[in-house]
Amino acid sequence: LDALTFTLYPVIEYRMECKFIWGEVKELNGPERTATIKPIFSQQTEIIDFDYCMVAAGCNFGVFHKWGESLWFPTIHEAARPEGSWP
Protein backbone atom coordinates (compact mmCIF):
# COMPACT_ATOMS: atom_id res chain seq x y z
CA LEU A 1 0.00 0.00 0.00
CA ASP A 2 2.83 2.44 0.76
CA ALA A 3 4.17 2.12 -2.78
CA LEU A 4 0.79 2.99 -4.29
CA THR A 5 -0.04 5.76 -1.86
CA PHE A 6 3.23 7.59 -1.81
CA THR A 7 3.66 7.89 -5.56
CA LEU A 8 1.31 10.87 -5.09
CA TYR A 9 3.41 12.39 -2.32
CA PRO A 10 6.34 13.80 -4.36
CA VAL A 11 4.05 15.20 -7.03
CA ILE A 12 1.75 16.94 -4.56
CA GLU A 13 4.49 18.13 -2.20
CA TYR A 14 7.25 19.13 -4.64
CA ARG A 15 5.62 19.80 -8.00
CA MET A 16 2.38 21.35 -6.75
CA GLU A 17 3.95 22.76 -3.54
CA CYS A 18 0.99 21.56 -1.47
CA LYS A 19 0.76 19.57 1.74
CA PHE A 20 0.02 15.84 1.37
CA ILE A 21 -1.82 14.30 4.33
CA TRP A 22 -2.27 10.54 4.42
CA GLY A 23 -5.36 9.85 6.49
CA GLU A 24 -9.13 9.85 6.63
CA VAL A 25 -11.29 12.94 6.25
CA LYS A 26 -13.92 12.75 8.99
CA GLU A 27 -15.68 16.01 8.20
CA LEU A 28 -15.28 18.65 5.51
CA ASN A 29 -16.58 22.18 6.15
CA GLY A 30 -16.48 24.05 2.84
CA PRO A 31 -17.79 27.45 3.97
CA GLU A 32 -15.23 27.61 6.79
CA ARG A 33 -12.52 25.89 4.73
CA THR A 34 -11.67 23.41 7.47
CA ALA A 35 -11.41 19.64 7.58
CA THR A 36 -11.45 17.27 10.50
CA ILE A 37 -8.91 14.59 9.67
CA LYS A 38 -7.40 11.53 11.28
CA PRO A 39 -3.84 10.97 10.05
CA ILE A 40 -3.11 7.32 9.22
CA PHE A 41 -0.74 6.71 12.15
CA SER A 42 -2.63 8.74 14.76
CA GLN A 43 -5.41 7.88 17.18
CA GLN A 44 -6.57 11.50 17.43
CA THR A 45 -8.41 13.70 14.96
CA GLU A 46 -7.32 17.24 14.20
CA ILE A 47 -8.85 20.21 12.46
CA ILE A 48 -6.88 21.81 9.64
CA ASP A 49 -7.67 24.76 7.42
CA PHE A 50 -7.15 24.83 3.67
CA ASP A 51 -7.18 27.08 0.63
CA TYR A 52 -7.74 24.21 -1.81
CA CYS A 53 -8.76 20.66 -0.94
CA MET A 54 -8.33 17.52 -3.02
CA VAL A 55 -9.57 14.20 -1.61
CA ALA A 56 -8.05 11.12 -3.25
CA ALA A 57 -10.21 8.20 -2.12
CA GLY A 58 -8.51 5.51 -4.17
CA CYS A 59 -10.37 2.51 -5.53
CA ASN A 60 -12.47 0.58 -3.07
CA PHE A 61 -15.45 -0.91 -4.81
CA GLY A 62 -17.34 -4.07 -3.96
CA VAL A 63 -20.84 -4.05 -5.44
CA PHE A 64 -22.15 -6.75 -3.10
CA HIS A 65 -21.18 -5.06 0.18
CA LYS A 66 -22.90 -2.10 1.86
CA TRP A 67 -19.61 -0.20 2.29
CA GLY A 68 -17.91 -1.23 -0.95
CA GLU A 69 -15.73 -3.82 0.75
CA SER A 70 -14.18 -6.38 -1.57
CA LEU A 71 -12.64 -9.84 -1.19
CA TRP A 72 -9.17 -8.28 -1.48
CA PHE A 73 -9.45 -5.14 0.62
CA PRO A 74 -11.49 -4.10 3.68
CA THR A 75 -13.41 -0.85 3.83
CA ILE A 76 -11.24 2.23 4.29
CA HIS A 77 -13.78 4.10 6.43
CA GLU A 78 -13.14 3.74 10.16
CA ALA A 79 -16.84 4.15 11.09
CA ALA A 80 -17.83 1.35 8.68
CA ARG A 81 -15.31 -1.25 9.92
CA PRO A 82 -17.59 -2.74 12.63
CA GLU A 83 -19.98 -3.79 9.83
CA GLY A 84 -17.17 -5.16 7.69
CA SER A 85 -16.25 -8.78 7.03
CA TRP A 86 -12.57 -8.37 7.85
CA PRO A 87 -11.19 -9.00 11.37
Side-chain angles (χ1 to χ4, degrees):
L1 181 61
D2 285 352
L4 294 175
T5 303
F6 285 102
T7 55
L8 294 174
Y9 176 85
V11 174
I12 291 172
E13 289 270 339
Y14 303 119
R15 300 283 301 220
M16 298 172 67
E17 297 182 1
C18 297
K19 178 67 179 162
F20 180 87
I21 300 170
W22 186 22
E24 183 176 350
V25 176
K26 298 295 199 172
E27 183 180 347
L28 193 59
N29 186 328
E32 293 188 20
R33 291 186 166 184
T34 62
T36 303
I37 63 162
K38 184 176 177 191
I40 195 73
F41 296 114
S42 176
Q43 296 299 316
Q44 304 296 324
T45 60
E46 57 186 86
I47 297 174
I48 60 168
D49 60 330
F50 59 86
D51 294 317
Y52 180 84
C53 178
M54 177 175 63
V55 177
C59 180
N60 195 27
F61 183 69
V63 296
F64 302 113
H65 194 276
K66 177 180 177 179
W67 297 105
E69 186 173 278
S70 72
L71 295 173
W72 302 272
F73 197 73
T75 183
I76 59 171
H77 305 288
E78 182 181 41
R81 289 184 196 141
E83 295 183 47
S85 307
W86 289 65

